[in-house]
Amino acid sequence: MQKFSHAIVRKPCRALAEGISSGLYPGKPDYELACRQHDAYIQALRECGVDVMVLPADERYPDSCFVEDPAVLTRRCAIITNPGALSRNGEKEGILEAVRQFYPEDKIERILPPGTLEGGDVMMAGDHFFVGKSARTNAEGIRQFQEILEKYGMTCTEVELEKVLHLKTGVNYLENDILLTAGEFVDKQEFISYHRIVIPEEEAYAANCIWVNDTVIIPEGYPAVLDAVRSCGYRTLTVDTSEFRKLDGGLSCLSLRF
Ligand code: GLY
């Protein structure tokens, strides 16, 4: 099924090593290696049949390659978010410029202060969205997000986060009612009606896979997840994300797919 025809990515910047990190995956990212991994990621998206818009590196924002956070793109509207991380808040203006090339002005909405919301906390499952209440996404941001979705005939469920950075750090939708879940999301009531693939703790990072037009892109080095996804019948591609992982970034964080 061809669901996504476009993706937006932003090249990593040299300041990448100064990006926000929880320290869960130690080390500083190597810029040159990160660029090579990013090129391979773009290639994987193209192999899945999407046209990729590659934005230039933005040295003002070390985390700016994680374009998923400053916007949420739906089939009916675009939502420019208000990132809760102060050092990332300005990323929303650069992404707005790119989004304007795909959505008319009257279909571009905004999350406004005091609301905060990051796209990493938003998981799309058809026209229903799950949104994580986290250190980056607050109650007012979720209220505004819900109001915008309702205006376009879409719905959402709030999910309280306990430990992880973003909702999609630990749960991702692979279409066909299938979810990849790890850690605190394995038994969450909100996801009980889905077929859940439970990921072992040692491979929890790979809960962040992306479904792109019937292919699932999986981070390299997670054999249990690769097997589990393949056994659901998906074509798979793997991409090494070691340098982005050091900043708690995963495959979904690196693109907007729409
Ligand atoms: N380093 C990604 C983030 O914390 O937003």
Side-chain angles (χ1 to χ4, degrees), residues 29-41:
D30 176 296
Y31 168 71
E32 304 292 343
L33 180 54
C35 288
R36 289 199 293 280
Q37 292 179 348
H38 197 258
D39 286 344
Y41 177 76

Side-chain angles (χ1 to χ4, degrees), residues 137-155:
T137 295
N138 66 15
E140 172 58 14
I142 294 174
R143 191 198 64 74
Q144 291 180 28
F145 185 68
Q146 185 156 21
E147 198 170 87
I148 293 166
L149 291 178
E150 276 171 12
K151 179 173 153 189
Y152 291 90
M154 299 182 282
T155 50

Side-chain angles (χ1 to χ4, degrees), residues 30-246:
D30 176 296
Y31 168 71
E32 304 292 343
L33 180 54
C35 288
R36 289 199 293 280
Q37 292 179 348
H38 197 258
D39 286 344
Y41 177 76
I42 292 170
Q43 182 56 31
L45 288 173
R46 288 185 172 139
E47 279 179 39
C48 297
V50 297
D51 188 50
V52 185
M53 173 188 260
V54 184
L55 304 176
D58 187 341
E59 293 295 340
R60 295 171 300 168
Y61 301 110
D63 284 297
S64 53
C65 60
F66 300 123
V67 287
E68 172 176 74
D69 292 313
V72 175
L73 303 183
T74 80
R75 66 191 181 92
R76 298 185 186 161
C77 66
I79 301 165
I80 304 301
T81 72
N82 188 36
L86 211 56
S87 68
R88 302 197 56 191
N89 191 265
E91 291 175 26
K92 63 192 178 193
E93 302 308 335
I95 215 71
L96 173 61
E97 276 177 47
V99 165
R100 280 192 168 127
Q101 299 191 38
F102 298 98
Y103 289 81
E105 209 59 43
D106 66 341
K107 295 283 186 290
I108 301 178
E109 307 284 347
R110 296 195 78 139
I111 302 294
L112 299 172
T116 64
L117 187 133
E118 296 192 356
D121 278 321
V122 175
M123 182 175 75
M124 178 170 67
D127 283 338
H128 187 73
F129 292 74
F130 292 89
V131 55
K133 188 159 161 234
S134 70
R136 304 283 184 88
T137 295
N138 66 15
E140 172 58 14
I142 294 174
R143 191 198 64 74
Q144 291 180 28
F145 185 68
Q146 185 156 21
E147 198 170 87
I148 293 166
L149 291 178
E150 276 171 12
K151 179 173 153 189
Y152 291 90
M154 299 182 282
T155 50
C156 85
T157 300
E158 179 179 324
V159 183
E160 186 94 32
L161 268 57
E162 291 157 29
K163 294 181 187 150
V164 295
L165 171 63
H166 285 133
L167 178 71
K168 283 185 290 191
T169 307
V171 57
N172 284 272
Y173 188 53
L174 303 186
E175 305 294 321
N176 311 306
D177 284 330
I178 299 175
L179 285 175
L180 273 176
T181 59
E184 66 191 73
F185 301 105
V186 167
D187 295 321
K188 273 248 191 268
Q189 201 55 35
E190 290 87 338
F191 304 123
I192 221 87
S193 66
Y194 289 88
H195 173 71
R196 283 157 291 142
I197 301 175
V198 175
I199 295 177
E201 198 50 45
E202 64 277 13
E203 295 201 11
Y205 171 78
N208 190 261
C209 291
I210 51 174
W211 178 98
V212 189
N213 302 336
D214 284 338
T215 296
V216 178
I217 308 180
I218 298 173
E220 200 170 290
Y222 296 91
V225 175
L226 186 63
D227 273 0
V229 172
R230 281 186 173 156
S231 70
C232 290
Y234 294 107
R235 171 184 181 248
T236 57
L237 289 173
T238 56
V239 174
D240 191 356
T241 54
S242 65
E243 302 316 289
F244 304 104
R245 186 173 56 212
K246 292 170 184 168

